[in-house]
Amino acid sequence: MLYYLFDYLEQQFQFPGASLFGFLTFRAAIAIILSLLISTIFGKRIISFLQRQQVGETIRDLGLEGQVEKAGTPTMGGIIIILATLIPVLLLAKLENIYIILLIVTTIWMGTIGFIDDYIKKFKNNKEGLKGRFKVLGQVGLGIIVGATMYFHDDVTVKEKLPQEQQNVLLAENPNISPSKLFEEEAKSTKTTIPFLKGNEFDYADLITWMSPGLSKYAWIIFILASIFIITAVSNGANLTDGIDGLAAGTSAIIVFTLGVFAWVSGNIIFSDYLDIMYIPRVEEITIYIAAFVGALIGFLWYNAYPAQVFMGDTGSLTIGGIIAVIAIAVRKEWLIPVLCGIFLAENLSVVMQVSYFKYTRKKYGEGKRIFKMSPLHHHYQKTGYHESKIVTRFWIVGILLAIISIVTLKIR
């Protein structure tokens, strides 16, 4: 809203300083500062409100060190993250931008699912919370919305570089040619990026057009199914990672910051030309959302770092996972998720491996055996004897390493 106000003041009155709001970097800086202030200053008030409502965490005795002391700690703190993200976005972003609209819908949608789950746990005295099938149904619903919007909306386009021969001709005629002249016109596309490969663009339509070129009109089905899978997997991964103080928030902040780099370069035609990557018009506006989201996550750590004064609950973890997935899809880097979100992947796999191996050995030998001392993975390290703050710090370090590897994929193919 402030963006439109200052744009009006600049256009009508040349108001001093109003033109600053036209710069993406300035609005992103203001967004991260504002979200940090909201999450730290108002976060305390929200925590106090949750305490008055007796929204405390119920702890199951899993034999983990320091577990009993966490009983009664306020949960549903994801509300802090959601508010600290949405308020700066509503103030500073271009609200007609389709990517911003998608992310706002994602935040509210997944936040609502998580809130209902936490509400049932705390106020209906049902430790299971929202039944799993309803969570999955919500994730599938969001995947359909995101996939259909990305495929059918007119503002979701890409600009690919012209064939190299044509570029060479244009450069020979004018060595100082604008980078924008080296790209084709905007077009709808189901192409995405596959990391580490030379020709790193992959078209979802290829999954069915090998049978018959005429099937390309059904590529939207493949794209939507891929969106559903990615959103479901990442949101569940973030949910499983939220198990010890500061782990999910810190890891997610690293992931989201990295996606911000991808959004910045993919939405800038000069960087897209230099890095020889797909140019995605209008996607750079996501940088504002990402700045606010990173600020909210870091601000939340003020209260969530060990020893935690508040837990995010499913209100926060499901929302975080959904947002990360949608940003990755928007910047066409969704198949980089196994690397960038390696922590989430490891947590997911540890649970799948543990449960599968237990069932297999119980069926074969009559007694279930375990691969890990406990799953998800961070609990295995707790059982091994590591303090949770050390586990979190080391997971962050691994997350930073994975983020660097992900950024390097812009040039290594």
Side-chain angles (χ1 to χ4, degrees), residues 59-99:
I59 303 294
R60 291 184 300 164
D61 187 7
L62 301 175
L64 299 171
E65 183 182 350
Q67 181 186 22
V68 177
E69 289 81 353
K70 296 178 184 290
T73 303
T75 186
M76 299 175 76
I79 295 171
I80 298 171
I81 298 172
I82 292 172
L83 291 177
T85 300
L86 289 182
I87 292 172
V89 168
L90 293 174
L91 289 173
L92 298 164
K94 296 178 181 178
L95 299 179
E96 77 276 10
N97 183 283
I98 185 57
Y99 298 109

Side-chain angles (χ1 to χ4, degrees), residues 391-409:
I391 297 169
V392 169
T393 302
R394 289 184 175 178
F395 271 49
W396 287 357
I397 292 170
V398 173
I400 292 170
L401 176 63
L402 294 173
I404 294 169
I405 293 172
S406 299
I407 292 172
V408 168
T409 62

